[in-house]
Amino acid sequence: MENRSCPYSNIIVSPQKLLLETQEGSQFVPPSKFITLEKETHDNSPSWEMRLLPGGDWVSLYPKSGKLSTSKKQVRVSVKSIGMPAGTYKATIEVVSSSGVEVKPSPYVEVVLEVYPVAPPEPEPQPEPQPEPEPPPSTWLQQLWELIKRFLEKIWNQGG
């Protein structure tokens, strides 16, 4: 029996999942991540293409296609996260080969973007309520005046 091998080398894709993180309202996008395409053997140059499945319009890929002429090729994966509300976003990239070679271990790469909510601002410390100041203690003159007023009122009420 004749041994017939595929005329092209299979393509190995890694990793199978990418996680990117940012904070809601951030004006900075998370650093790019990379998908590595690698030839299983060094024979030939299989062609490849990255397809973003529906729902992943926030993901950018560069390059999106090419020939795997060297043993490895890196594809930059970046996200457009500015203005995205807090939450978990998922997208799927499909790696296909028009050369008819197999893409291993899976032709799909999951991209997960975690947008964390902004922490509420720390409340400003409030001054502790101060007790109302007590009226100043009466002086002997004020006490004497109060005593005289009561005495005069008593006389007035009796004599009137």
Side-chain angles (χ1 to χ4, degrees), residues 65-135:
S65 63
K67 281 191 174 255
L68 200 50
S69 53
T70 59
S71 61
K72 286 185 180 183
K73 176 69 177 174
Q74 287 197 317
V75 176
R76 185 179 67 229
V77 179
S78 54
V79 296
K80 299 171 234 161
S81 60
I82 295 175
M84 293 177 81
T88 300
Y89 300 85
K90 294 182 180 181
T92 303
I93 300 167
E94 181 180 23
V95 183
V96 294
S97 174
S98 58
S99 303
V101 300
E102 187 177 350
V103 178
K104 298 179 177 180
S106 167
Y108 300 103
V109 177
E110 182 181 23
V111 180
V112 178
L113 172 63
E114 289 287 348
V115 179
Y116 298 109
V118 176
E122 291 287 323
E124 289 188 28
Q126 298 295 321
E128 290 191 29
Q130 300 294 323
E132 289 190 30
E134 292 185 24

Side-chain angles (χ1 to χ4, degrees), residues 18-46:
L18 297 173
L19 174 64
L20 296 103
E21 300 171 300
T22 189
Q23 187 170 13
E24 183 178 31
S26 173
Q27 295 301 308
F28 301 101
V29 295
S32 297
K33 299 276 181 147
F34 293 89
I35 297 173
T36 301
L37 304 177
E38 189 171 359
K39 291 194 294 185
E40 196 168 46
T41 66
H42 295 289
D43 299 339
N44 300 314
S45 300

Side-chain angles (χ1 to χ4, degrees), residues 145-158:
W145 177 244
E146 289 298 317
L147 187 62
I148 293 172
K149 279 189 350 186
R150 276 188 255 141
F151 176 74
L152 291 174
E153 284 176 4
K154 198 173 195 182
I155 294 176
W156 183 262
N157 288 338
Q158 286 177 357

